[in-house]
Amino acid sequence: MKFREMDTQQIETALETSVRLGLKEAEVNKRQQLKGYNELQEGEKQSAILLFFAQFKDFMVIVLLAATLISGILGEYIDAIAIIAIILVNGFLGFFQERKAEKSLEALKQMAAPQVQVLRDGEWKRIPSREAVMGDILKFTSGDRIGADLRIIESASLEIEESALTGESVPVAKLNEAIRYDVESIGDEVNLAFMGTMVTRGSGTGVVIATGMETAMGKIADLLQSTETQITPLQRRLEQLGKILIFTALFLTIVVVATGILQGNDLYTMFLSGVSLAVAAIPEGLPAIVTVALSLGVQRMIRKNAIVRKLPAVETLGCASVICSDKTGTMTQNKMTVTHVWSGGKTWNVSGTGYQPDGEFYDGEKKVAPKSDKSLHQLLTFGLLCNHADLVVKDSKYVVDGDPTEGALLVSAMKAGLTRESLMNNFTIVKEFPFDSTRKMMSVVVKDENGKQFVVVKGAPDVLISRCDSILWSQKSQFLSEENINHVQEAINGLASLALRTIAIGFKPLSPGTILLDEAEAERNLVFIGLQGMIDPPRAEVGLAVKESREAGIKTVMITGDHAQTAKAIASQLGILRGKEKVIEGKQLAEMSMGDLEDVVEDVAVFARVSPEDKLKIVKAFQNKGHIVAMTGDGVNDAPAIKTADIGIAMGITGTDVAKEASSLILLDDNFASIKSAIAEGRNIYENIRKFIRYLLASNVGEIMVMFFAMLMALPLPLVPIQILWVNLVTDGLPAMALGLDKAEGDLMKRKPRHPNEGVFARGLGWKIISRGILIGLATLIAFIVVYKNNPDNLVYAQTIAFATLVMAQLIHVFDCRSEKSILARNPFGNKYLIGAVISSLLLMLIAIYYPPFQPIFHTVPIAMRDWLLVIGMASIPTFLLAGTFLVRKTK
């Protein structure tokens, strides 16, 4: 039998404790030795040194190390130092990022109560929460944080806020009776209190039934420790690219050395030639440019209310195919709002959302003044009298100080022009019977300005109607007949079908001199006034964001701890739940194997009443089906799933530290619509990364081709190694970075998400790199041959011509990289940063050619003006030749 199903005597027997005396100190020591302290355990940590060196294991870093070695061999120590600096910067960035991830568990540990009030040897004392053991009796009151998992044995108007575990912000009313029926989720275990949750109202006593890692919070900590962070698509693609580049460089080096030796050249000369070719094959600046492009994307994301904690997450968002989103606060406003009121057979709609006290009352299409209808005015007035909430202004926004449900009743009354201050001029609260989770009601005794007394009651409709013998109908009190009860029930069902939470309000006039001794006497023979139906309304902008995400091929899935009916209604309003899509509850999910879930997961739009384990299971099911999953959340319960998802998104306003530390992205405004903007930014960043990979590799292929063909033709080297390194690090670098700032093409969010296994050379990119590279290489070689054959005694001049032709061909080619189609498909002046980068690269090239101190370093000499026509003409051929084929295809 579970603890929630036991009565107090059974619990005492099972845990060998006494609710009257507590445990003896000797027994406490024995249990501490057996179970350990009541704290969350940390898994084995990797040492800082090993973590640091682990940053240098991936292929792109190996590529850079190879480039460093080559530069050193060639005596280019400045280049070697620059490359080592890039490696170290990347290494430190990765190291500090992973160290940050370890803070998730530390933040979780801080949610445990530092001290608790415990009964030991018949005396109450305060102890550190870590010293509590199974069987301890703990006492708690409003404002206390629960120190362990408890079975509540006494409660007085007890409410506990459990959003960190369940995701739902409305405090849960707690009972002390045994529950012997099945519960759907942790949120339904209303006679249990959980470690780390906060008491918002009342007081209670409980017996400790779980400590440390055995608590609900501990199970989440265990999930966090055992969950592996997913490698991002960008990391996979760069690793793939690194392997291709390093094997290409090794292959070409071997081929060139072997070819040269067969042609009769000496080994040393051919080794240097092979090394030069390897240098040409490796884009030394690529990892640095990727990092810069992602960093610039991060700056743009901040302006769109998103803070990126892990750089690769920016690109990962761009290929997300599923967004698993929490409901409360992300898709909804997290502000309970009265939208319908019912009294005497009439229903009024109430406009306005959130806690802004502005709105109108409508009878159908007709606007009505609440004061003109006695029953409506009385319903709103009594909802405000029997109420503790206050409306305050913080940071120019209205905020409810108190229970969200009472806040909704307060705001609905204020929309009718009522205020507590004005009511207190006419009414006096004589006595109060606080809300009790057993009674499910609250009542106050009120005296009006004429000295008349009456009771005002609010509570659960099914309970309150059973205490009534009259009803306000047609603005008059009449006997509560069976027919009237049916009318009330129909109204309750009608409001429930709209996913509204209903609160009933009643009253009872008192005879002069009546003294009420208890709530039982006060809360009987009541007059039923009506119902107020409230909901946490959807954010206005979320529906459009869901629609645009769907057009972009991204499925939105609602995952919530709320009831299925409420979740279904909100999901339908937002366009998440459509057609034959399914709603699955946590109870059904628990009975499904991972295979069963994978079979149906793509047909499900809403998961309701779910646990932290369920959320993790859902994310993994989508991933197993090949999806890139973004997971949003704010509570401790969301952290394992956030960490497991390809892109974890935490809420900046309502999010717990645990959720934020486990995430890759934090939304400053807690708004689902910001996710859509972030996805668009992520897609553009990836397309820009593809652009500069295309540019860099096509340029490098050109360098390889010019060197390789020259060797095959037994010609002198058209380029010396320092020129190749200079082109790779300077001429390639600036325009490539500028491509990272390119604006998105117009149809970006109309395209389907990229498949997670899509290679970096997909969609024809590989052919474009090879074809443009070969043409750049041939154009450079032809320019070199033309000049060298005319003047074979001046090799340096021919090499300078080749150097200038290569640089110019690349700078023209960079404009072609802005579009998947052709250089003619986009305005060449649309990227001002690219224009600036190209001009800068041109100036640097001219300095290397014409500035005398640099000429011996770069092995250059000044070029005659007539030869610039050859340079520019040959450099233009690779790009504009292919642009012409694009125009021919377009006109057909």
Side-chain angles (χ1 to χ4, degrees):
M1 185 182 289
K2 297 177 180 178
F3 286 112
R4 69 166 181 263
E5 299 171 357
M6 299 179 183
D7 57 31
T8 303
Q9 191 173 355
Q10 289 172 316
I11 293 170
E12 285 182 311
T13 303
L15 295 175
E16 297 181 10
T17 187
S18 166
V19 298
R20 190 170 55 86
L21 300 173
L23 295 172
K24 296 183 181 298
E25 288 294 341
E27 181 63 24
V28 170
N29 294 333
K30 190 190 300 181
R31 296 188 184 192
Q32 277 179 350
Q33 290 175 3
L34 182 66
K35 288 277 190 180
Y37 284 109
N38 175 35
E39 58 188 3
L40 304 181
Q41 304 299 318
E42 296 186 42
E44 290 185 18
K45 284 186 179 179
Q46 190 175 11
S47 72
I49 294 174
L50 289 176
L51 189 63
F52 178 71
F53 282 112
Q55 307 304 314
F56 304 97
K57 292 194 300 187
D58 70 66
F59 259 91
M60 280 312 293
V61 173
I62 292 171
V63 169
L64 284 176
L65 289 171
T68 306
L69 177 63
I70 291 164
S71 298
I73 291 171
L74 295 172
E76 307 300 338
Y77 302 116
I78 293 175
D79 297 307
I81 291 169
I83 297 169
I84 286 174
I86 291 169
I87 293 171
L88 289 175
V89 168
N90 285 339
F92 277 112
L93 282 172
F95 170 73
F96 288 120
Q97 200 60 59
E98 291 196 33
R99 291 289 284 184
K100 274 185 178 182
E102 294 178 359
K103 293 182 180 178
S104 294
L105 190 60
E106 293 172 17
L108 196 63
K109 290 176 74 174
Q110 291 173 4
M111 293 198 70
Q115 286 200 320
V116 293
Q117 199 166 5
V118 63
L119 182 64
R120 297 266 176 87
D121 290 320
E123 294 184 8
W124 289 102
K125 57 179 73 174
R126 295 194 73 81
I127 63 167
S129 64
R130 71 190 296 266
E131 295 179 8
V133 298
M134 291 253 303
D136 262 332
I137 311 300
L138 302 186
K139 185 161 63 175
F140 43 86
T141 189
S142 181
D144 288 346
R145 194 179 289 279
I146 302 296
D149 281 6
L150 311 174
R151 164 65 163 85
I152 299 167
I153 52 178
E154 291 180 9
S155 65
S157 303
L158 179 62
E159 292 185 9
I160 298 179
E161 198 262 305
E162 297 178 339
S163 62
L165 282 173
T166 65
E168 296 310 308
S169 57
V170 177
V172 179
K174 293 294 183 177
L175 308 172
N176 55 8
E177 291 93 0
I179 296 177
R180 295 192 173 93
Y181 51 83
D182 290 339
V183 297
E184 294 181 7
S185 71
I186 195 171
D188 297 321
E189 297 186 297
V190 293
N191 61 357
L192 302 184
F194 301 99
M195 174 192 274
T197 59
M198 183 73 72
V199 181
T200 58
R201 188 176 186 178
S203 60
T205 305
V207 56
V208 176
I209 57 172
T211 59
M213 297 301 285
E214 294 179 357
T215 62
M217 196 74 77
K219 290 172 184 173
I220 292 173
D222 187 55
L223 286 174
L224 272 173
Q225 289 178 14
S226 59
T227 297
E228 294 184 2
T229 304
Q230 299 292 310
I231 183 170
T232 71
L234 179 62
Q235 290 168 324
R236 280 198 295 268
R237 293 182 186 102
L238 288 181
E239 186 174 315
Q240 175 194 48
L241 180 59
K243 291 176 182 177
I244 292 169
L245 291 175
I246 199 166
F247 287 124
T248 301
L250 289 172
F251 174 75
L252 287 171
T253 302
I254 293 167
V255 168
V256 168
V257 172
T259 303
I261 292 171
L262 289 173
Q263 289 178 344
N265 295 311
D266 66 274
L267 179 62
Y268 178 73
T269 300
M270 291 320 302
F271 174 72
L272 287 181
S273 298
V275 166
S276 298
L277 203 56
V279 170
I282 299 170
E284 290 85 355
L286 180 59
I289 294 170
V290 169
T291 301
V292 170
L294 292 173
S295 299
L296 292 171
V298 165
Q299 299 305 311
R300 292 196 295 272
M301 299 275 273
I302 290 173
R303 293 195 289 272
K304 295 179 180 178
N305 292 314
I307 295 177
V308 177
R309 297 184 62 254
K310 299 173 185 176
L311 281 183
V314 180
E315 180 272 339
T316 312
L317 260 178
C319 56
S321 55
V322 173
I323 303 173
C324 294
S325 178
D326 186 28
K327 174 182 69 68
T328 305
T330 310
M331 293 183 169
T332 63
Q333 299 179 27
N334 200 18
K335 298 173 181 177
M336 293 300 290
T337 305
V338 172
T339 60
H340 294 72
V341 292
W342 179 93
S343 181
K346 290 178 66 176
T347 301
W348 293 268
N349 297 332
V350 188
S351 66
T353 59
Y355 294 138
Q356 185 86 14
D358 299 319
E360 305 290 345
F361 291 78
Y362 293 87
D363 180 1
E365 298 294 324
K366 180 185 175 185
K367 187 189 296 186
V368 298
K371 291 183 179 179
S372 66
D373 190 292
K374 178 183 175 184
S375 57
L376 173 59
H377 190 256
Q378 200 165 10
L379 178 69
L380 298 170
T381 301
F382 287 173
L384 180 53
L385 282 175
C386 191
N387 196 316
H388 287 292
D390 284 310
L391 195 63
V392 295
V393 178
K394 289 184 180 178
D395 300 324
S396 303
K397 294 182 179 178
Y398 285 97
V399 179
V400 164
D401 180 13
D403 181 82
T405 300
E406 291 193 336
L409 299 177
L410 167 68
V411 172
S412 71
M414 293 178 72
K415 287 177 180 178
L418 300 168
T419 64
R420 178 172 283 112
E421 292 72 19
S422 63
L423 288 183
M424 288 303 102
N425 292 330
N426 301 320
F427 300 96
T428 304
I429 306 297
V430 177
K431 193 170 187 176
E432 178 182 327
F433 298 104
F435 177 85
D436 183 271
S437 54
T438 304
R439 292 167 27 242
K440 296 184 179 179
M441 286 193 291
M442 168 190 175
S443 55
V444 291
V445 180
V446 179
K447 180 188 291 184
D448 67 14
E449 56 191 343
N450 298 318
K452 293 180 180 179
Q453 289 193 106
F454 50 93
V455 179
V456 178
V457 184
K458 77 167 188 293
D462 55 335
V463 177
L464 195 144
I465 194 75
S466 66
R467 307 288 182 90
C468 296
D469 57 17
S470 301
I471 186 170
L472 204 62
W473 198 271
S474 299
Q475 304 189 28
K476 294 180 182 178
S477 178
Q478 65 181 50
F479 174 71
L480 184 64
S481 64
E482 191 67 34
E483 183 182 0
N484 288 332
I485 292 175
N486 291 337
H487 286 314
V488 173
Q489 193 57 55
E490 286 173 9
I492 294 170
N493 294 340
L495 296 176
S497 69
L498 299 174
L500 300 180
R501 182 181 180 187
T502 51
I503 297 293
I505 294 173
F507 81 108
K508 176 173 71 173
L510 296 177
S511 303
T514 302
I515 299 175
L516 297 172
L517 300 176
D518 57 29
E519 61 266 22
E521 187 179 355
E523 295 165 354
R524 65 185 181 193
N525 304 324
L526 301 172
V527 179
F528 189 89
I529 302 175
L531 305 163
Q532 294 204 46
M534 61 192 70
I535 195 171
D536 180 8
R539 290 177 179 262
E541 63 276 19
V542 170
L544 179 60
V546 169
K547 180 176 179 288
E548 291 176 348
S549 297
R550 186 168 58 251
E551 289 173 351
I554 303 165
K555 178 182 176 67
T556 303
V557 179
M558 179 186 288
I559 302 180
T560 179
D562 209 343
H563 291 281
Q565 193 173 26
T566 303
K568 186 176 179 179
I570 296 291
S572 297
Q573 288 182 46
L574 293 173
I576 295 170
L577 184 63
R578 304 186 310 149
K580 297 181 180 179
E581 290 179 309
K582 299 177 182 177
V583 177
I584 289 183
E585 297 189 62
K587 191 174 181 181
Q588 298 168 264
L589 197 58
E591 296 170 356
M592 300 171 75
S593 67
M594 182 59 80
D596 293 336
L597 180 56
E598 287 173 20
D599 289 340
V600 300
V601 72
E602 292 178 308
D603 299 322
V604 181
V606 177
F607 292 92
R609 304 304 281 170
V610 294
S611 68
E613 293 85 356
D614 292 335
K615 294 183 180 185
L616 197 59
K617 186 176 178 181
I618 294 163
V619 169
K620 287 182 176 178
F622 275 115
Q623 288 175 330
N624 292 345
K625 295 293 285 186
H627 289 282
I628 297 295
V629 182
M631 171 72 197
T632 75
D634 55 5
V636 175
N637 61 320
D638 299 315
I642 286 173
K643 186 178 178 184
T644 300
D646 299 279
I647 173 88
I649 305 171
M651 301 298 109
I653 300 172
T654 60
T656 59
D657 288 343
V658 184
K660 290 175 184 176
E661 290 294 340
S663 70
S664 308
L665 188 79
I666 299 173
L667 297 184
L668 293 176
D669 57 357
D670 288 13
N671 193 339
F672 180 89
S674 296
I675 302 173
K676 188 268 300 179
S677 299
I679 287 174
E681 189 64 51
R683 286 192 176 190
N684 188 42
I685 287 169
Y686 180 69
E687 290 306 312
N688 287 347
I689 288 172
R690 272 174 56 91
K691 290 174 188 176
F692 61 65
I693 286 177
R694 172 183 169 183
Y695 171 65
L696 289 176
L697 295 191
S699 300
N700 284 25
V701 168
E703 294 160 21
I704 292 168
M705 290 298 106
V706 71
M707 300 289 283
F708 187 57
F709 290 146
M711 289 176 188
L712 291 178
M713 296 169 69
L715 291 169
L717 293 179
L719 300 165
V720 296
I722 185 62
Q723 290 172 345
I724 295 172
L725 280 171
W726 190 90
V727 170
N728 282 359
L729 289 172
V730 181
T731 303
D732 289 354
L734 289 174
M737 285 186 184
L739 282 175
L741 293 167
D742 217 8
K743 292 179 180 178
E745 294 190 64
D747 63 344
L748 187 69
M749 284 301 282
K750 302 294 182 183
R751 305 173 193 169
K752 298 297 181 186
R754 300 183 309 279
H755 192 279
N757 296 327
E758 177 184 288
V760 73
F761 300 115
R763 290 181 273 149
L765 185 64
W767 164 246
K768 288 172 185 171
I769 288 170
I770 297 295
S771 60
R772 273 64 163 183
I774 289 173
L775 287 174
I776 288 170
L778 287 174
T780 304
L781 185 62
I782 291 169
F784 171 77
I785 291 172
V786 167
V787 174
Y788 179 67
K789 292 297 182 183
N790 289 332
N791 192 1
D793 296 328
N794 195 348
L795 176 61
V796 175
Y797 189 81
Q799 287 175 330
T800 305
I801 290 288
F803 173 63
T805 305
L806 179 67
V807 171
M808 290 299 296
Q810 291 182 5
L811 294 181
I812 294 170
H813 171 63
V814 74
F815 291 98
D816 191 29
C817 295
R818 293 187 63 227
S819 171
E820 294 275 339
K821 299 169 186 174
S822 160
I823 191 172
L824 305 174
R826 297 190 75 179
N827 178 2
F829 303 104
N831 184 339
K832 61 183 180 182
Y833 303 103
L834 184 59
I835 300 296
V838 167
I839 292 172
S840 299
S841 293
L842 278 172
L843 290 174
L844 290 169
M845 178 191 68
L846 294 173
I847 290 170
I849 293 173
Y850 290 101
Y851 185 52
F854 283 178
Q855 289 171 350
I857 297 173
F858 292 105
H859 304 278
T860 56
V861 292
I863 297 174
M865 289 303 296
R866 69 178 183 276
D867 287 328
W868 276 109
L869 294 175
L870 172 67
V871 168
I872 295 171
M874 294 306 300
S876 301
I877 289 172
T879 296
F880 288 102
L881 178 67
L882 293 166
T885 62
F886 167 75
L887 281 177
V888 170
R889 288 197 310 271
K890 191 174 181 183
T891 55
K892 283 184 178 179

